[in-house]
Amino acid sequence: MQSPAAGGCFGPPQVSKRNSLSRYIKKMNVLKKLNDPNLTAKFQQYCGVSSKNVENCDECQKHAPGRDNQGELKTGDRCADCRVTAPRSNTRHALLFYLFSYASSLGNEVFYLLFYPYCVWNMDSVLIRRTALVWSLCMYVGQAGKDLLWWPRPASPPVIRLETEFLQESSMPSTHAASATAIPFMLAYYLYDRYQISPYLLLPAAVVWCSLVCLSRLYLGVHTILDLLCGILISILVMALTSPFWEDFDWYQQTHPFAPFVVLTTAIAMCTVLYPKSKDGSCSHGDAVQIVAVLTGVSIGSWLNFHFQFTSTSDHTEPYDVIIPSVRDLAMQILRFFVGVVIIGLLKVTLKEITVRLFSKLYGLKVPNQEHPSVKLAYKFAVYGVIGFSVVFLVPFIHCMFGLERESYFKEVV
């Protein structure tokens, strides 16, 4: 009988185990390398970002040994929660600074509140409704992942922080990357599906959009490469797993008698029992509630449009021709957008004040407190639910009152 060392009956399994362990270690080393903040810092340096003259916060200065001869921060000089932002003068190339700052804003709330309504009122509500549905699922998974994993932002130094607005959030995964994958590629897919547009135009535009947003997060010093790759992967998986159901769900949420009940119940569950426990100071749960609430409002508003017979199916067949807007069309688009934004803005400010007071009283608080965890989630769900409802139901109705309606909007059911 051969001994195990000589390749007997016990030899191959041991070799297999060693090979599996070796492959596992290599994979972990790759992931560790991708999560290295030094890679983010090298990208910043390549883009001309310097750490000179970056002041420390009070906590940093208690332990900071100083700077080197070139005025650069030494590793360990900054505390983990330092919120001091590097000055604009630390960026050598103004064009890159403004380009990446703008690209990063494509993943912020203000962009969503302007982009989606503009497209609904002026372009194609079917395309936007389905894009927003997939985007919301990607963002929900991303925000839940942040609270579940709770990874810190890249260490500074070596990273130079040009943005500290979202420092209280977990770093993994990047919801900017998830959003920058879901929105442009969903838009590209449905533009190609519904209109006579070349994919050779749509696909490069989607890649550029995604790339600029992802690179902007490295440039601003708020993510590692691993954060971005995980955000992109989340969107790819969500799009792949849900693609067979997009059109069926869109039809269901508008036409089925019990759709509002099902959607509202599911949304409340997603915001409460299905969401992982949040860490103190995290705003990810609140962001997830906003996103789910907006889509809930859109769903209920679309349902009312169909059942009140404000909307109906179109007689035209796809793919549609792309029509270049005239000067009059552009003027009407601007007017629709202006009227709609004013209404949404007034609703947001007014309802926030009312709901914060209402829920603070319901939760037994002596004074209104919008930062109280329960109050915060409740008022966000109420306010953003109404915003979503208003975008598809209230504002188009007001447009009709002023003669600003887009006639094709009422034919965009499927």
Side-chain angles (χ1 to χ4, degrees), residues 98-112:
Y98 290 112
L99 174 64
F100 286 133
S101 295
Y102 171 76
S104 181
S105 70
L106 299 181
N108 294 344
E109 179 186 345
V110 174
F111 170 74
Y112 302 140

Side-chain angles (χ1 to χ4, degrees), residues 40-342:
T40 301
K42 286 180 181 178
F43 178 78
Q44 289 183 302
Q45 293 168 7
Y46 181 79
C47 294
V49 180
S50 169
S51 65
K52 290 183 178 180
N53 304 317
V54 179
E55 297 298 331
N56 294 338
C57 68
D58 293 338
E59 187 65 27
C60 293
Q61 293 180 11
K62 293 179 182 178
H63 311 286
R67 299 170 182 267
D68 59 21
N69 294 333
Q70 287 75 39
E72 300 281 350
L73 286 169
K74 299 177 182 177
T75 301
D77 284 3
R78 306 282 295 282
C79 65
D81 298 324
C82 185
R83 292 180 175 275
V84 176
T85 307
R88 162 68 184 81
S89 58
N90 281 37
T91 56
R92 188 179 306 163
H93 308 296
L95 178 61
L96 286 180
F97 175 80
Y98 290 112
L99 174 64
F100 286 133
S101 295
Y102 171 76
S104 181
S105 70
L106 299 181
N108 294 344
E109 179 186 345
V110 174
F111 170 74
Y112 302 140
L113 289 177
L114 296 177
F115 173 75
Y116 282 126
Y118 179 87
C119 293
V120 168
W121 301 329
N122 295 308
M123 294 177 60
D124 185 338
S125 60
V126 174
L127 182 151
I128 296 304
R129 215 169 38 236
R130 294 174 185 174
T131 298
L133 172 64
V134 177
W135 163 80
S136 67
L137 291 174
C138 297
M139 292 294 286
Y140 178 84
V141 174
Q143 298 292 1
K146 284 178 179 287
D147 276 334
L148 194 62
L149 298 173
W150 198 245
W151 286 20
R153 294 285 181 179
S156 174
V159 167
I160 302 101
R161 288 177 179 151
L162 297 176
E163 176 188 278
T164 57
E165 182 180 356
F166 302 103
L167 194 60
Q168 73 278 14
E169 283 188 358
S170 170
S171 181
M172 169 67 75
S174 168
T175 48
H176 273 74
S179 172
T181 305
I183 294 177
F185 285 98
M186 283 297 298
L187 288 175
Y189 172 80
Y190 273 112
L191 282 170
Y192 175 70
D193 183 60
R194 291 173 60 81
Y195 295 91
Q196 295 182 357
I197 304 180
S198 171
Y200 299 108
L201 176 65
L202 296 172
L203 189 59
V207 171
V208 169
W209 181 332
C210 181
S211 301
L212 282 176
V213 174
C214 291
L215 291 176
S216 74
R217 305 310 285 167
L218 294 177
Y219 180 85
L220 295 174
V222 291
H223 279 298
T224 63
I225 294 176
L226 184 61
D227 298 338
L228 299 173
L229 292 177
C230 288
I232 292 171
L233 181 61
I234 283 173
S235 285
I236 292 174
L237 289 175
V238 169
M239 288 189 288
L241 293 173
T242 61
S243 59
F245 313 107
W246 294 338
E247 295 182 15
D248 290 339
F249 179 80
D250 193 27
W251 176 255
Y252 169 83
Q253 72 174 347
Q254 296 178 83
T255 61
H256 197 279
F258 297 114
F261 173 78
V262 172
V263 170
L264 185 60
T265 304
T266 304
I268 292 174
M270 290 174 69
C271 295
T272 54
V273 295
L274 297 180
Y275 194 87
K277 185 178 179 181
S278 299
K279 307 293 183 180
D280 293 338
S282 171
C283 63
S284 296
H285 194 177
D287 292 342
V289 169
Q290 290 178 194
I291 293 164
V292 172
V294 168
L295 265 293
T296 304
V298 168
S299 180
I300 294 173
S302 300
W303 185 87
L304 288 176
N305 276 333
F306 185 84
H307 284 268
F308 285 167
Q309 297 183 352
F310 294 154
T311 57
S312 60
T313 55
S314 174
D315 298 328
H316 300 286
T317 57
E318 300 176 3
Y320 306 122
D321 293 328
V322 177
I323 301 174
I324 300 176
S326 63
V327 175
R328 181 183 180 279
D329 293 334
L330 290 174
M332 290 291 286
Q333 289 184 14
I334 293 171
L335 282 173
R336 285 190 210 107
F337 184 63
F338 176 77
V339 171
V341 167
V342 169

